[in-house]
Amino acid sequence: MEETLIKSARKVSVYSAKSATGTRMSLDEFLRHTPKIRGTKLEWNNGEIEIEYTMKIAERNIVTNIVRKFNRLPQYEQGDMLLPEADVNLSTVRTYRRPDASYLTKQQIEDPENAPAAPAFLIEVVSPANAAGDVEKKMDEYFRAGVQTVWIVYPHTKRVYVYTGPKSVQICSDDDVCSAAPAVSDLQITANEIFR
């Protein structure tokens, strides 16, 4: 099984993440036997493995700018965290994702069995390798699982699409303030700060 995943992951560098997907396994198998493959992150979608690229340096810098802002908020002082590429079990939609950043409460970190499975706030940074349909599919999954706010960040156009529902969006650029409300009302940052 692991050898199949590694062969699939090698296709990522030659073809695309899309061509490397398709390996099937249970969630338990995925959690026990998923290899770490440099430059990729593996996600589980209803029994099928999906291979995505990890964030590049420029994308990671964007997430770091947001995390630094979050780390000055009362939520951080209370033990909540905004974590890059954390494992997120969206059990209500039978999906296990690794968003570019996830807001996890102290309870979700310390006692995940008794906490809401879905984070209230997620961030996805769109790279040239991401297909628009895949980003929209993930966003729909997130809202069906109970996520309250999703930021879709486009580095090349320096825009942030702030979704508070599948059809409710605000587009931020320049000095526009991106808010993580209602999930994290205190988190407000301008697009310029995000792309600094």
Side-chain angles (χ1 to χ4, degrees):
M1 184 70 68
E2 187 169 327
E3 184 176 317
T4 303
L5 285 174
I6 292 170
K7 286 179 184 175
S8 294
R10 286 190 187 125
K11 292 180 186 177
V12 171
S13 60
V14 178
Y15 304 107
S16 70
K18 193 75 171 164
S19 67
T21 62
T23 303
R24 295 197 59 81
M25 65 174 59
S26 72
L27 179 58
D28 286 339
E29 287 175 312
F30 173 76
L31 295 174
R32 281 195 319 269
H33 301 295
T34 304
K36 301 292 184 214
I37 302 166
R38 188 169 187 233
T40 66
K41 57 183 177 181
L42 303 178
E43 298 179 331
W44 184 87
N45 185 1
N46 198 23
E48 186 173 303
I49 304 306
E50 296 178 355
I51 300 177
E52 302 281 339
Y53 291 106
T54 55
M55 290 185 284
K56 305 290 185 250
I57 292 172
E59 296 158 356
R60 191 167 298 283
N61 288 341
I62 287 167
V63 170
T64 299
N65 289 339
I66 300 167
V67 169
R68 283 186 181 137
K69 183 79 167 194
F70 175 84
N71 289 351
R72 293 191 294 256
L73 299 178
Q75 288 85 346
Y76 178 75
E77 295 298 322
Q78 296 165 7
D80 298 354
M81 298 189 79
L82 186 60
L83 297 172
E85 296 181 335
D87 293 350
V88 174
N89 185 356
L90 303 172
S91 56
T92 57
V93 291
R94 295 187 43 79
T95 306
Y96 194 92
R97 296 282 184 203
R98 292 184 170 112
D100 293 325
S102 305
Y103 168 68
L104 298 173
T105 64
K106 182 178 180 180
Q107 183 185 15
Q108 287 172 308
I109 295 165
E110 294 178 356
D111 188 17
E113 297 298 320
N114 295 309
F121 171 53
L122 296 174
I123 299 170
E124 289 286 0
V125 181
V126 178
S127 72
N130 295 121
D134 291 342
V135 173
E136 288 194 18
K137 181 179 106 177
K138 282 185 182 183
M139 193 182 63
D140 287 343
E141 288 173 2
Y142 295 154
F143 283 111
R144 282 189 288 126
V147 176
Q148 297 173 0
T149 307
V150 178
W151 287 3
I152 307 294
V153 180
Y154 292 90
H156 290 80
T157 59
K158 295 189 179 349
R159 289 193 179 110
V160 180
Y161 286 58
V162 177
Y163 287 88
T164 53
K167 295 181 181 181
S168 179
V169 63
Q170 174 192 359
I171 302 169
C172 301
S173 62
D174 304 316
D175 287 324
D176 296 336
V177 175
C178 305
S179 171
V184 188
S185 305
D186 294 336
L187 181 55
Q188 298 191 22
I189 183 172
T190 67
N192 282 337
E193 289 177 286
I194 290 172
F195 297 110
R196 181 178 52 216

